[in-house]
């Protein structure tokens, strides 16, 4: 359990961050907070402050826009993340990627494990690595364990894009960026992805750029 001093320090940092109002500034690659495992949440933020922080994460994620945001991405090293995906994609993309709408939800102290051997590779981006995307092979299905913002246990199996989002955001809480798991030859600017690699799967990109898919 963290010390009372540590609780006070983190709470003060969150209060200071929230004082500016509006979307929070997003920390980008190179900041050490993104490269260290975040502290498990054990009451460092009082319920009212936790609620305000979660709302700020929601506002920031939507404004970016993104489909997930972890507390370290706004400089707070706590194992808290939010996800939400309206999935505004074509039927072809939905079927290829398993991308279905996900309601807003809060994940506290999440962890995941593979729920089967199958892996799939798709382009991913990250709000903390703006302007770039790369192909990442991830588990198609994962078992998620966490709590919600009210302390209720979460234990469920997710597949497709929701599983990918959970893996990406939980990795942030372990000090891992998607680039650590990416195929280096696939690294592409957002403009190139939009112009050349917007197909439902990265097969054409793999052939043209010279990398293998699982």
């Amino acid at each position: 359990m963290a010390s009372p001093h540590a609780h006070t320090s983190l709470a003060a940092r969150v209060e200071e961050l929230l004082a500016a109002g509006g979307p929070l500034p997003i920390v980008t690659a190179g900041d050490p907070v993104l490269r260290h495992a975040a502290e498990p949440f054990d009451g460092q933020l009082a319920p009212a402050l936790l609620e305000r922080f979660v709302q700020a994460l929601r506002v920031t994620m939507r404004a970016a826009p993104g489909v997930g945001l972890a507390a370290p991405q706004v400089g707070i090293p706590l194992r808290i993340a939010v996800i939400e995906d309206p999935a505004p994609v074509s039927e072809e993309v939905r079927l290829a990627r398993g991308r279905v709408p996900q309601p807003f939800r809060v994940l506290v102290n999440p962890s995941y494990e593979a729920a089967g051997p199958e892996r799939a590779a798709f382009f991913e981006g990250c709000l903390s690595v703006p302007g770039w995307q790369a192909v990442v092979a991830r588990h198609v299905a994962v078992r998620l364990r966490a709590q919600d913002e009210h302390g209720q246990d979460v234990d469920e199996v997710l597949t497709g894009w929701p599983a990918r989002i959970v893996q990406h955001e939980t990795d942030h809480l372990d000090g891992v960026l998607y680039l650590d798991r990416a195929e280096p030859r696939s690294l592409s600017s957002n403009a190139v992805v939009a112009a050349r690699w917007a197909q439902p799967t990265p097969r054409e990109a793999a052939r043209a750029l010279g990398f293998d898919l699982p």
Side-chain angles (χ1 to χ4, degrees), residues 88-177:
V89 296
S90 69
E91 182 70 3
E92 184 182 16
V93 169
R94 183 187 71 78
L95 291 173
R97 302 180 188 176
R99 187 169 178 184
V100 294
Q102 290 296 296
F104 177 78
R105 63 191 302 186
V106 181
L107 303 179
V108 177
N109 297 329
S111 64
Y112 69 83
E113 60 185 35
E118 189 178 1
R119 293 169 67 83
F122 295 101
F123 274 100
E124 275 185 34
C126 179
L127 298 178
S128 290
V129 190
W132 297 92
Q133 297 181 47
V135 173
V136 183
R138 293 196 185 270
H139 304 298
V140 170
V142 296
R143 183 177 182 181
L144 167 68
R145 293 184 177 91
Q147 294 85 44
D148 65 16
E149 67 272 40
H150 307 297
Q152 298 299 307
D153 287 337
V154 174
D155 187 345
E156 61 186 86
V157 173
L158 299 170
T159 61
W161 212 257
R164 180 168 293 264
I165 295 171
V166 163
Q167 291 171 81
H168 182 115
E169 298 308 327
T170 303
D171 280 358
H172 270 303
L173 304 179
D174 293 328
V176 175
L177 294 178

Side-chain angles (χ1 to χ4, degrees), residues 35-47:
R35 288 314 200 171
H36 295 278
E39 296 180 24
F41 180 77
D42 66 352
Q44 292 93 330
L45 310 182

Side-chain angles (χ1 to χ4, degrees), residues 22-24 53-64 69 82 104:
L24 306 175
F53 182 53
V54 163
Q55 180 58 25
L57 290 175
R58 184 179 195 174
V59 167
T60 304
M61 175 181 63
R62 288 179 170 179
L69 188 67
V82 297
F104 177 78

